[in-house]
Amino acid sequence: MTTQRTQEVRERLLAAAAELIAERGWAGVSTRVLAERAGVGPGLVHYHFSSLRALLNEAALHAVTAVVQEGADRLAGATAREGLDLLLGALDAYTGGDPVSVLFTETYLAAGRDEELRRALTRLLADFRVLLTDWLRATGVPDPDATARVLAAAMDGLMLHRPLDPSLTAEAAVPVLRRLLTGAVEEY
Amino acid sequence: MTTQRTQEVRERLLAAAAELIAERGWAGVSTRVLAERAGVGPGLVHYHFSSLRALLNEAALHAVTAVVQEGADRLAGATAREGLDLLLGALDAYTGGDPVSVLFTETYLAAGRDEELRRALTRLLADFRVLLTDWLRATGVPDPDATARVLAAAMDGLMLHRPLDPSLTAEAAVPVLRRLLTGAVEEY
DNA sequence: GATCGCCTTGGGCGAGTGCCCAAAATCGAG
DNA sequence: CTCGATTTTGGGCACTCGCCCAAGGCGATC
């Protein structure tokens, strides 16, 4: 299959793009550095993708979706205790300076300037929020829907603030966050 | 005074830069569009500033400092009730799509790639956190220091998520946030 | 009015940009 | 092996980038 090889090049370009967005910022990714990182000629970028913008959108959305999916899968059948460990784990895995955190923020920002990306991100976030809400409800948290929204936002906010506040560790934040889940976690 | 006029041009450049960072993103601000927005010749940028990078740093830091200062001043002698109103007011003033919110996020991101900017932002945030901590302590919130860190991060996270979640209004978020302040606000 | 120093202009330099395209390489089908 | 289609290459086009600089404008001081 020739399609096999084509797919592999596409994926290498997408992976390189995700790396470079985090390193250099959305607007700092050029066709040439992208091609070099992916190990292909500069012309290939516009052979496999209609535009650099489209490539960046697809790369960011693909990477962000993968991370969210993994989190969602783990959360799916988790108990209250397991869910909290999951949160805590996420908090010190994504410190704000790591590529994944930066890519998230870059993507949020880019979504503000690209309608199509914004729509896709909105849908992704909504799907995840449904899962989070279900878990909160099952755990016995009072207002699961609003709590899920705020909790998701707070997690991203913590990643945004972490590089600017070295004392903002996961251990410091989790006891406070637990107050958001009042009533459900006193046994923890 | 010739210095008078010089200062005015500098400030016009800084103001134009703050606008453009929000509109086009940090890397999307060029010397030429910046000069045009400020109403001056393109060469003036490098007469008044050592580099475009230095100009952007100063502009962003200046604008962000002004916003934080204003919030700090208002919070300084506020009661528990007034403080909560202040939070609520901030939440629906900065919706995430407005120039101020975007500028904040752009600046956080840029700080990750510029040591000097990161240092200055860290100090600014630390100063504000002290004030927030004092207010929380005076209000009777349990763990004021950690709570201040998480609360500040959560506010920024909400602004990040708002454009992607239309249902995330200030009214929906505030009751949940109030749980962070358990024990102090049951009269509210 | 002449002079001096700060402010401002606009053009120019080399480098880098997204995108395009003719030509070469590669590969599966016959 | 040959042929046709697909994939890949690298150079080129028109443009923008940050930064520099010679030239002129301008206001304050004698």
Side-chain angles (χ1 to χ4, degrees):
Chain A
M1 287 289 258
T2 50
T3 331
Q4 194 81 7
R5 175 122 180 98
T6 280
Q7 270 261 333
E8 196 229 318
V9 171
R10 264 185 64 97
E11 279 164 18
R12 250 188 320 157
L13 280 169
L14 290 174
E19 284 180 27
L20 288 167
I21 289 172
E23 287 176 24
R24 297 167 159 249
W26 196 274
V29 184
S30 72
T31 55
R32 280 169 255 261
V33 297
L34 178 55
E36 189 186 14
R37 177 69 60 99
V40 300
L44 263 195
V45 171
H46 287 86
Y47 176 78
H48 288 288
F49 296 88
S50 63
S51 70
L52 181 61
R53 183 194 187 95
L55 195 169
L56 293 180
N57 280 0
E58 186 173 335
L61 198 57
H62 184 271
V64 165
T65 301
V67 172
V68 170
Q69 265 306 328
E70 192 204 327
D73 289 346
R74 291 215 214 165
L75 190 65
T79 68
R81 169 71 186 249
E82 288 166 352
L84 279 177
D85 286 343
L86 220 61
L87 280 187
L88 194 140
L91 273 183
D92 59 23
Y94 307 128
T95 61
D98 62 289
V100 173
S101 302
V102 177
L103 179 63
F104 264 76
T105 309
E106 288 283 356
T107 305
Y108 287 156
L109 229 26
R113 300 183 181 107
D114 187 303
E115 176 102 4
E116 187 186 331
L117 182 58
R118 211 198 70 237
R119 264 191 243 278
L121 252 193
T122 298
R123 182 159 38 236
L124 175 66
L125 193 67
D127 289 349
F128 178 71
R129 216 174 38 236
V130 168
L131 238 88
L132 190 57
T133 303
D134 287 345
W135 175 71
L136 289 177
R137 192 191 340 270
T139 314
V141 171
D143 183 0
D145 191 67
T147 305
R149 290 178 208 277
V150 175
L151 185 58
M155 298 272 301
D156 277 340
L158 285 169
M159 286 163 200
L160 206 60
H161 272 221
R162 194 94 90 92
L164 302 174
D165 179 6
S167 303
L168 189 51
T169 63
E171 314 141 61
V174 165
V176 180
L177 283 180
R178 205 180 303 136
R179 288 189 215 143
L180 288 180
L181 284 48
T182 42
V185 283
E186 53 253 36
E187 85 280 2
Y188 182 58
Chain B
M1 289 289 258
T2 49
T3 331
Q4 194 82 10
R5 173 115 181 104
T6 280
Q7 270 263 331
E8 196 230 316
V9 170
R10 264 185 65 97
E11 279 165 18
R12 250 191 316 161
L13 280 169
L14 290 173
E19 284 179 28
L20 288 168
I21 289 171
E23 288 175 23
R24 297 166 161 247
W26 196 274
V29 183
S30 72
T31 55
R32 282 169 252 262
V33 297
L34 178 54
E36 189 185 14
R37 177 70 60 99
V40 300
L44 264 195
V45 171
H46 287 86
Y47 177 79
H48 289 289
F49 296 88
S50 63
S51 70
L52 181 62
R53 182 193 187 96
L55 194 166
L56 294 181
N57 280 0
E58 186 173 334
L61 198 58
H62 185 273
V64 165
T65 301
V67 172
V68 170
Q69 265 306 327
E70 193 205 326
D73 290 345
R74 291 213 212 169
L75 189 65
T79 68
R81 168 70 186 251
E82 288 166 353
L84 279 176
D85 286 343
L86 221 60
L87 280 188
L88 194 140
L91 273 182
D92 60 23
Y94 307 128
T95 59
D98 62 290
V100 173
S101 303
V102 177
L103 178 63
F104 264 76
T105 308
E106 288 282 356
T107 305
Y108 288 155
L109 227 26
R113 301 184 180 108
D114 186 303
E115 177 103 2
E116 189 187 327
L117 182 58
R118 211 197 70 237
R119 264 191 243 279
L121 251 194
T122 298
R123 183 160 39 236
L124 176 67
L125 194 67
D127 289 348
F128 178 72
R129 216 174 37 235
V130 169
L131 239 88
L132 190 57
T133 304
D134 287 346
W135 176 70
L136 289 176
R137 192 191 340 269
T139 314
V141 170
D143 182 0
D145 191 66
T147 305
R149 290 178 207 277
V150 175
L151 185 58
M155 297 272 300
D156 277 339
L158 285 169
M159 286 163 199
L160 206 60
H161 271 220
R162 195 94 88 93
L164 302 174
D165 179 6
S167 304
L168 189 51
T169 63
E171 315 141 61
V174 166
V176 179
L177 284 180
R178 204 180 302 138
R179 286 186 217 146
L180 288 180
L181 283 48
T182 42
V185 286
E186 53 254 34
E187 84 279 2
Y188 181 59

